[in-house]
Amino acid sequence: MWKGTSRPFSFFYKVITAEDMMKSNRVVITGMGVISPIGNTLAEFSASLKNGINGVAPITRFDASKFDTKFAAEVKNFDPLQFLDKKSIRRIDLFAQFALAASQMAYDDAGFTPASFTPERSGVVFGSGVGGIQTFHDQCVSYLTNGDPTKVSPFLITMLIPDIAAGLISIRFGFKGPNYCTVSACATGSHAIADAFMLIQRGSADVMICGGAEAPVTELSIAGFNSLRALSTWNERYSEASRPFDVDRNGFVMGEGSWAIVLESLEHALARGAKIYCELGGIGLSADAYHITAPEPEADGAIRAMNLCLQDAEMAPAEIDYINAHGTSTQYNDITETKALKAVFGEHAYKLAVSSTKSMTGHLLGAAGGIEAIASALAIHEGFVPPTINLNQPGEGCDLDYVPNKVRYQSVNAVISNSFGFGGHNASLLFKKYHS
C-alpha cells in the first residue's frame, strides 16, 4: 500500500510486499545528456555519429612532446560556467564538472520538475574509472615540491574520489534514494546502467539518473597507458589512429567526457506523460576470471554476458539488429569480440550491423559503456547505425559487417551494447523499441 502525499504521480513511501518483489517493472529511457569529444549536446552528438565526425586531435591539455602518444579525443569548447559558478568550478575536478553538465541536460531532457518525482524514490548511480586523477597529480606535485602537508588542498579528497559525482548530482536535484558509484574499468558505465535498471525493476526506485564521467587526458594517465603499451602511437596519423577491427589497429585512443541517462519505471513515465526513447530490455554480467588486462582467448566471459542479456530480455539472437561493439582498436579485443559474436549469434552474426563508435569518440574508459548506450538508444529512436570510421581493411578474423566509414539509415528494433573492462569485467545491455 502507498502512504501519504497528495502530489500526482509521486509517493513519499512505499511498503514493499512479497507480491511487489515477485513483480518485474519495465524500465525505459526518458532523458539523455552528453559531453563528448564529438559534441556537447545530445543533438550535436547524434549529428556527429551520423556524419562520422572524428574527435581525435593533438593533446592541448598539457605539453605532450615527450610522450609516446601525443594525441587524444578531448572534449572541445566545454564551458563549465553554463552549469556551475566560479567558486564551485575551483572545488570540483573536471570529471565531476562533466558529470554535472551531462546530468543537468538529461534531467532537463526528461522534463522533470520537483513535483514530478518523489525524492526518496529517485536515485543516482554514477561511475568513473579513475575519478579526479588530474587533482591527484596536481596535489602530488605540489606536496613533493614544497614538502609542506599544510599546503595540500582541503578539497583534495572530495575532488579525487570517484563517488563524488553521484553525491553532487543527488544534491543538485534532491534525489534521496539509492546513491553510489560504480568502478569497473571500461565496464563502469554499463554497470551503472545495469545497477539502476535492477533497482527500478525490483521496485526500490521509480527514477534513476545513471551515468559515467572521465577526464583522464593527463600526463599521469598517458604515461601509464603508454607504459602498458595499450595506446596507439600513430602521432603522424592521429586522425586515423582509432581504427577498430582494421588490420592496422595498434592500440586505443584516450577519450574523455560524460554521459547521463534517466531511467524510469514504465508506470512512472506514463503517469507523468514522459517521452520515451526506448526500453532497456535486459542485462548480462559476467567475469573472465582470466587476466588483469587481456580478454579470455575463447571469449567465454563475453559470450556468457551476451547470452545472459538475451535470456534476461527473453529475446532470440535473430531479433537483434545492431551490436554497438566494445571495439577498442586493440589487437586482442577486436578479434575476441568478433569470436564472441559468432558464438552467440551463429549465422545471424553475418546479418548483424556491428560498429564501434570509439572510432569517433576514442575510448572514454569508465564513461565508455554509457556513451555507447546513448548511441544505441539514438540508433533505435532515430533509425540509423553509426559507422566504424577509419576501417579500410578488416584484420584477420574480423569478417563481420562493421558498417565501415558511412552511416547506415535503417529501422533498428533491438541493440546490444557491449563493454569489457580490465580485470575481466563484462557487461552487455539490450535496448529495444518501446511498445505499449
Side-chain angles (χ1 to χ4, degrees):
M1 62 184 293
W2 294 91
K3 296 183 179 179
T5 188
S6 59
R7 290 193 298 177
F9 319 139
S10 300
F11 304 90
F12 283 113
Y13 303 102
K14 182 180 182 182
V15 177
I16 298 177
T17 65
E19 183 180 358
D20 291 326
M21 295 295 287
M22 295 295 292
K23 185 169 72 168
S24 181
N25 293 317
R26 292 172 67 184
V27 180
V28 293
I29 295 176
T30 59
M32 298 190 288
V34 63
I35 299 291
S36 83
I38 60 171
N40 294 337
T41 68
L42 192 62
E44 288 176 359
F45 181 65
S46 177
S48 293
L49 290 176
K50 293 169 185 172
N51 290 308
I53 298 299
N54 193 330
V56 181
I59 290 171
T60 64
R61 199 65 52 73
F62 59 90
D63 180 4
S65 59
K66 62 185 178 183
F67 291 83
D68 291 339
T69 297
K70 300 172 175 59
F71 57 90
E74 295 177 327
V75 168
K76 291 89 174 166
N77 304 314
F78 174 65
D79 181 7
L81 287 171
Q82 293 182 7
F83 307 96
L84 294 158
D85 59 49
K86 290 181 180 179
K87 183 178 180 180
S88 297
I89 291 168
R90 292 193 299 270
R91 298 178 176 183
I92 298 175
D93 188 89
L94 184 59
F95 93 96
Q97 294 177 31
F98 287 160
L100 282 165
S103 297
Q104 184 68 61
M105 287 188 282
Y107 179 95
D108 293 342
D109 186 46
F112 280 138
T113 67
S116 62
F117 62 89
T118 302
E120 292 81 2
R121 293 191 53 76
S122 305
V124 182
V125 182
F126 219 93
S128 180
V130 297
I133 193 165
Q134 184 65 63
T135 295
F136 176 73
H137 173 268
D138 292 344
Q139 290 298 306
C140 281
V141 169
S142 176
Y143 173 68
L144 293 173
T145 299
N146 60 49
D148 185 353
T150 66
K151 300 299 183 183
V152 172
S153 170
F155 301 103
L156 165 61
I157 302 305
T158 55
M159 292 175 72
L160 167 67
I161 52 179
D163 69 288
I164 204 65
L168 289 168
I169 293 162
S170 71
I171 291 167
R172 169 163 290 199
F173 302 124
F175 282 15
K176 298 182 178 180
N179 183 274
Y180 57 94
C181 170
T182 52
V183 183
S184 48
C186 313
T188 294
S190 293
H191 278 138
I193 294 172
D195 278 17
F197 171 74
M198 290 187 284
L199 286 164
I200 295 172
Q201 196 178 49
R202 74 185 295 276
S204 296
D206 300 320
V207 175
M208 296 293 298
I209 291 180
C210 51
E214 215 75 274
V217 185
T218 71
E219 294 174 79
L220 201 58
S221 297
I222 298 296
F225 280 105
N226 272 159
S227 293
L228 195 59
R229 298 187 178 181
L231 293 179
S232 172
T233 55
W234 276 23
N235 294 304
E236 302 305 316
R237 300 172 62 184
Y238 61 82
S239 64
E240 305 170 63
S242 188
R243 46 194 317 106
F245 307 107
D246 191 85
V247 67
D248 291 328
R249 67 192 186 277
N250 71 337
F252 77 85
V253 175
M254 186 82 76
E256 66 176 5
S258 181
W259 60 277
I261 288 175
V262 175
L263 293 182
E264 290 187 62
S265 70
L266 176 60
E267 181 181 15
H268 190 274
L270 292 176
R272 70 180 189 88
K275 72 173 180 296
I276 295 173
Y277 283 102
C278 63
E279 183 170 357
L280 178 51
I283 61 173
L285 311 176
S286 72
D288 283 355
Y290 172 72
H291 190 272
I292 59 171
T293 57
E296 199 278 326
E298 299 306 313
D300 169 71
I303 291 167
R304 286 186 292 110
M306 284 188 277
N307 278 330
L308 288 168
C309 188
L310 288 164
Q311 292 168 22
D312 191 37
E314 298 181 342
M315 293 184 70
E319 295 180 89
I320 305 303
D321 304 302
Y322 168 46
I323 302 294
N324 187 287
H326 188 53
T328 58
S329 188
T330 60
Q331 289 293 331
Y332 286 128
N333 173 87
D334 295 359
I335 193 168
T336 304
E337 187 170 10
T338 298
K339 186 182 294 186
L341 290 170
K342 292 176 184 178
V344 172
F345 291 95
E347 286 302 311
H348 184 62
Y350 293 92
K351 300 175 183 178
L352 287 167
V354 180
S355 72
S356 172
T357 47
K358 287 185 179 74
S359 61
M360 293 175 271
T361 66
H363 191 343
L364 275 68
L365 306 185
I371 204 167
E372 290 153 19
I374 287 183
S376 301
L378 288 171
I380 292 169
H381 187 66
E382 299 182 8
F384 73 98
V385 176
T388 304
I389 67 170
N390 297 321
L391 178 52
N392 298 327
Q393 181 182 346
E396 183 179 355
C398 297
D399 58 349
L400 301 180
D401 176 8
Y402 302 112
V403 194
N405 299 307
K406 188 176 180 180
V407 66
R408 184 175 300 165
Y409 290 98
Q410 66 175 70
S411 177
V412 179
N413 294 296
V415 178
I416 287 180
S417 181
N418 286 328
S419 297
F420 310 130
F422 281 0
H425 312 294
N426 306 304
S428 296
L429 309 173
L430 191 153
F431 303 92
K432 63 182 182 179
K433 275 188 177 177
Y434 163 67
H435 298 289
S436 58

